[in-house]
Amino acid sequence: MSVQERKQRERAERERLIVATARELAEQQGWDAVTTRRLAERIEYSQPVLYSHFRGKREIIGAVALEGATEMAAAVRAATSAEEGPRGRVTALARAYLDFAERNPAVYDALFQLDGGLAYAQEDTPEPLKDAFAALLECLAEVAGDGIDPGLFTEVFWASLHGLATLTRAGRLLPGEAEQRVRLLVDRLAMV
């Protein structure tokens, strides 16, 4: 291995460490606790080293969001591939999405609530975000209905899931009725 390759590998390892540490800190204490100073202390590198990887917290949030998008897409695909029939797949998609949001609140915030400097629904949208949407579309396209654009249907279904995830987390919905909400969403919106 050349010196250049070793330096690139070390740089990539430092970047992964920064992202993992930011994610861990955000999950434990919230995004307000994630500062470049605290990250530098936790990873035992100077702030200038951290800034050589990310220009600031916004880019770190973006990196966490991209990592989270990849994980969410994998979770949705794993859940839907294990089911037979459209109803089973759509129900599995909804459960997997809501479960991801509940288990990873800081990552979910990085993806959908905070400014990570990422473009959504545009030509320059990063591939992990496009793939996360594609994971939803793959399942929902089959239930969109005649004459309904599958992408538009996926956006509306996703918005409903996002609303459920956000309102549940904020304590704005009655507890204990998550499964009934999923059934209602699948029965009425996806009509399967």
Side-chain angles (χ1 to χ4, degrees):
M1 173 184 303
S2 73
V3 172
Q4 181 67 15
E5 289 172 328
R6 181 182 54 78
K7 285 184 177 186
Q8 287 175 338
R9 189 187 78 238
E10 289 171 354
R11 180 173 176 74
E13 287 172 8
R14 267 193 318 270
E15 194 165 298
R16 280 191 296 276
L17 178 62
I18 293 166
V19 172
T21 303
R23 181 175 176 167
E24 179 183 316
L25 187 57
E27 291 292 1
Q28 291 171 352
Q29 300 176 32
W31 278 105
D32 287 342
V34 179
T35 64
T36 53
R37 180 184 207 167
R38 288 184 82 184
L39 284 175
E41 289 171 4
R42 283 203 174 198
I43 64 172
E44 298 178 344
Y45 284 101
S46 67
Q47 282 184 294
V49 169
L50 194 139
Y51 281 115
S52 74
H53 291 273
F54 299 98
R55 287 183 285 194
K57 183 175 176 176
R58 181 178 187 221
E59 283 189 6
I60 294 169
I61 290 169
V64 170
L66 294 177
E67 187 176 273
T70 299
E71 292 170 10
M72 188 178 76
V76 166
R77 285 188 175 111
T80 58
S81 70
E83 295 293 327
E84 291 198 25
R87 181 180 186 75
R89 284 189 289 277
V90 173
T91 301
L93 178 148
R95 287 180 183 142
Y97 183 97
L98 294 171
D99 183 55
F100 180 87
E102 183 181 347
R103 284 185 296 105
N104 304 283
V107 173
Y108 191 81
D109 284 349
L111 268 165
F112 302 121
Q113 303 287 90
L114 301 174
D115 179 9
L118 303 173
Y120 285 76
Q122 309 210 4
E123 296 232 356
D124 61 340
T125 297
E127 278 307 312
L129 297 178
K130 288 179 181 179
D131 188 53
F133 185 78
L136 301 175
L137 180 63
E138 289 161 11
C139 176
L140 294 170
E142 69 180 320
V143 298
D146 293 336
I148 298 174
D149 175 53
L152 183 60
F153 179 79
T154 300
E155 288 175 348
V156 171
F157 197 91
W158 168 35
S160 299
L161 288 173
H162 176 69
L164 288 174
T166 303
L167 292 170
T168 298
R169 190 161 137 211
R172 302 292 198 269
L173 300 175
L174 292 173
E177 296 190 14
E179 191 57 36
Q180 293 90 324
R181 289 184 189 101
V182 167
R183 257 196 317 273
L184 183 61
L185 184 62
V186 171
D187 289 347
R188 298 292 187 230
L189 188 58
M191 299 174 115
V192 290

